[in-house]
């Protein structure tokens, strides 16, 4: 059983549903998709649908476990608060459902192959992070960070929980949308994880992982029989 989680409100609901449909199409093994609905419209709609392989929780559910989120929501912008929720939601789902592991997905991702390909890269490590892999002319590493909080995997073990707890505490302290003191949102914190947590964190290596507008220029992308093929131009 593979476990995936995401968070979104009603504005991102169509994207979240596309992500869900791509998981249904691509995942060869059974999975559960945990969704944190961040407003009432999304939560009520999702609960009514009773979607296969989906567990839905509300913002009120996670606030009961982490009361500090009530204060943080009042202090932070919508974007900053959603960034804050990423680390909190991962820990929330791991603990609430006593999962062996979980993979966090941004709601605007879409899979053209089984994400287990990426999870299988992990050997002894307990965490996976995804590089932005910027094309040089679009490189925003200095501001946005080397890694993108779009695909992250955590084992529910001592090492995985150590990294997750450190990250959650950092996001609780600061999750600014204005870069300052080497911080930006929830993802600039990931820059030094390979050295901060040696032997625990793995950088995703698959060429097809995290293709996005900031790196697509590096690849030839073709489609054949509903399969997407990626070739590095170099």
């Amino acid at each position: 059983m593979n476990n995936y989680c995401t968070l979104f409100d009603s504005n991102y609901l169509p994207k979240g549903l596309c992500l869900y449909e791509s998981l249904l199409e691509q995942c060869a093994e059974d999975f559960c998709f945990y969704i944190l609905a961040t407003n009432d419209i999304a939560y009520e709609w999702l609960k009514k649908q009773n979607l296969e392989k989906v567990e839905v929780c509300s913002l009120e559910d996670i606030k009961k476990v982490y009361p500090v989120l009530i204060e943080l929501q009042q202090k932070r912008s919508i974007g900053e608060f959603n960034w804050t929720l990423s680390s909190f939601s991962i820990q929330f789902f791991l603990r609430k459902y006593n999962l062996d592991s979980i993979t966090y997905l941004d709601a605007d991702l879409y899979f053209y192959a089984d994400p287990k390909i990426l999870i299988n890269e992990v050997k002894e490590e307990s965490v996976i992070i995804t590089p932005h892999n910027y094309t040089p002319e679009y490189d925003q590493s200095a501001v946005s960070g080397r890694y993108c909080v779009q695909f992250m995997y955590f084992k529910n073990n001592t090492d995985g929980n150590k990294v997750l707890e450190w990250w959650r505490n950092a996001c609780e302290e600061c999750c600014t949308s204005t870069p300052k003191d080497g911080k930006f949102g929830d993802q600039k914190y990931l820059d030094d994880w390979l050295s901060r947590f040696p032997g625990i964190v793995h950088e995703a290596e698959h060429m097809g992982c995290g293709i996005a507008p900031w790196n697509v220029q590096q690849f030839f992308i073709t489609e054949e029989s509903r399969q997407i093929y990626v070739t590095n131009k170099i």
Side-chain angles (χ1 to χ4, degrees), residues 140-157:
Q140 299 180 48
S141 301
V143 174
S144 297
R146 294 178 56 201
Y147 300 97
C148 184
V149 178
Q150 58 176 333
F151 183 99
M152 299 182 70
Y153 168 84
F154 288 87
K155 290 180 182 177
N156 191 4
N157 61 14

Side-chain angles (χ1 to χ4, degrees), residues 33-121:
F33 190 32
Y34 298 91
I35 300 174
L36 176 64
T38 59
N39 67 6
D40 291 340
I41 297 174
Y43 177 73
E44 291 169 5
W45 189 90
L46 288 166
K47 291 296 287 186
K48 287 179 182 178
Q49 304 311 305
N50 195 27
L51 298 172
E52 178 188 8
K53 304 179 187 296
V54 170
E55 290 284 345
V56 183
C57 292
S58 69
L59 201 52
E60 295 309 310
D61 292 329
I62 195 171
K63 284 179 180 177
K64 290 175 183 176
V65 178
Y66 302 101
V68 69
L69 291 173
I70 300 172
E71 178 185 354
L72 295 178
Q73 185 177 21
Q74 295 172 347
K75 291 181 176 180
R76 298 179 178 179
S77 68
I78 293 175
E80 290 172 339
F81 185 62
N82 284 335
W83 286 337
T84 304
L85 286 173
S86 55
S87 56
F88 278 86
S89 65
I90 295 167
Q91 190 176 77
F92 172 74
F93 287 128
L94 279 175
R95 292 179 175 179
K96 178 177 175 61
Y97 295 98
N98 193 28
L99 307 176
D100 292 332
S101 64
I102 200 164
T103 303
Y104 172 83
L105 308 172
D106 271 353
D108 56 0
L109 288 182
Y110 194 91
F111 290 100
Y112 294 92
D114 194 330
K116 189 67 181 295
I117 296 169
L118 305 176
I119 297 171
N120 285 343
E121 288 187 12

Side-chain angles (χ1 to χ4, degrees), residues 45 93 98 110 132 139 162 176 180 186-187 193 223 227 230:
W45 189 90
F93 287 128
N98 193 28
Y110 194 91
H132 272 113
D139 191 350
K162 178 172 73 173
T176 177
K180 66 175 183 179
D186 56 350
Q187 67 186 22
W193 278 15
E223 181 181 1
Q227 294 294 311
V230 180

